[in-house]
Amino acid sequence: MGYGFRKHAAYWAAAAAGAFTNTVFGVLRAYVLIALWRSRPGLGGYDVTDAVTYCFLTQAYIGPMQVFGGGLELPQRIRSGDIALDLVRPASLQLWCLSEDLGRAIYLFLARSVPPTIAGALLFGIVTPGDAGTWAAFGVSFLLGVIVSFGWRYLVALASCWVLDDRGLSVMSMVLTTFFSGLMLPLVLFPGWLGTLARSLPWAAMVQVPADVYLGKTGVARALAFQAFWALTLLGLGALATTAARRKVVIQGG
């Protein structure tokens, strides 16, 4: 984990640029949501301040949750052939990648999540939990969201062992995560069966659920159980995929 933190801390200028970009887009999104909620008060059970808070929370999640995909070096190592060495090492490839990814998430939380949130609080005002229990629940929910995000991205990255070009999978992952995580709009606004489906998929555990825990819009036990289920499910699938990769791997260039 420390290695992942130090590696990403070396690119502080990129993190600063990302924080600035997240802040700018957060301001633009906030004005759109303010206009929407003023025309439809109480939409989705949120008021205007909740909507603005949700906006800047989701902007803050982009870096740590790696919402747009990537963040893992597996596809590059598969193309170079280095994955063959990774798979024969006694250490678990999945746990090694998870440890590094947690270090990355911690650094990006400090470098890319905190500045946009502070900017949102100063410019618009945001909801702040008033008790330690909510903060603790949010911390656990945030960590589980990072693990769910890793579990999904690990599966997408490891699929490069069997496909010749991972770009299509990466684009598909980005589209699904952006749409179904609640990054663009709260999933409670999705109508009928689409909303029910979206709230039951793993991507909701990355953005929508941690935001609702912070805002107090969901039961904590149920929310954490939902995230834990998807974290264990995706990690389990990743372990099975890693075992399969040890038996048959298509290596490009190695």
Side-chain angles (χ1 to χ4, degrees):
M1 192 156 51
Y3 168 75
F5 184 97
R6 292 192 301 272
K7 183 174 75 172
H8 287 85
Y11 303 100
W12 59 269
F20 176 77
T21 302
N22 288 350
T23 301
V24 171
F25 278 95
V27 171
L28 296 176
R29 287 183 61 208
Y31 279 117
V32 172
L33 294 181
I34 288 171
L36 175 61
W37 258 265
R38 283 181 176 171
S39 65
R40 297 282 300 278
L43 184 62
Y46 294 21
D47 59 24
V48 173
T49 306
D50 291 335
V52 171
T53 303
Y54 184 92
C55 168
F56 282 98
L57 284 176
T58 54
Q59 288 297 118
Y61 294 161
I62 291 175
M65 305 292 183
Q66 206 72 33
V67 175
F68 297 138
L72 300 175
E73 295 181 352
L74 277 179
Q76 295 93 319
R77 295 185 68 81
I78 291 169
R79 285 192 292 269
S80 68
D82 292 337
I83 190 66
L85 297 176
D86 297 333
L87 290 172
V88 299
R89 289 172 179 163
S92 167
L93 173 64
Q94 186 183 32
L95 292 180
W96 168 263
C97 291
L98 174 59
S99 176
E100 182 179 340
D101 198 61
L102 288 175
R104 174 203 60 78
I106 292 172
Y107 173 72
L108 291 182
F109 172 79
L110 297 174
R112 288 189 59 175
S113 299
V114 174
T117 307
I118 293 176
L122 293 176
L123 293 172
F124 299 95
I126 63 174
V127 175
T128 303
D131 61 281
T134 301
W135 280 110
F138 171 67
V140 175
S141 181
F142 186 88
L143 175 61
L144 287 172
V146 173
I147 295 174
V148 171
S149 170
F150 165 80
W152 170 253
R153 288 181 290 111
Y154 182 82
L155 285 172
V156 173
L158 197 62
S160 299
C161 290
W162 293 277
V163 299
L164 295 178
D165 192 339
D166 65 299
R167 287 176 294 182
L169 290 174
S170 299
V171 171
M172 178 198 71
S173 173
M174 181 183 68
V175 171
L176 290 173
T177 306
T178 302
F179 186 76
F180 285 113
S181 66
L183 176 65
M184 305 308 297
L185 284 172
L187 298 181
V188 293
L189 302 186
F190 286 24
W193 65 268
L194 180 60
T196 302
L197 175 65
R199 291 190 294 272
S200 66
L201 294 174
W203 300 287
M206 302 178 194
V207 175
Q208 180 71 54
V209 174
D212 279 345
V213 169
Y214 179 93
L215 292 168
K217 300 295 183 181
T218 185
V220 172
R222 180 179 179 182
L224 297 184
F226 172 77
Q227 290 182 290
F229 166 78
W230 277 115
L232 292 173
T233 298
L234 292 174
L235 290 177
L237 292 174
L240 291 175
T242 305
T243 300
R246 292 180 187 277
R247 297 194 184 102
K248 183 178 180 180
V249 180
V250 176
I251 297 175
Q252 305 164 39

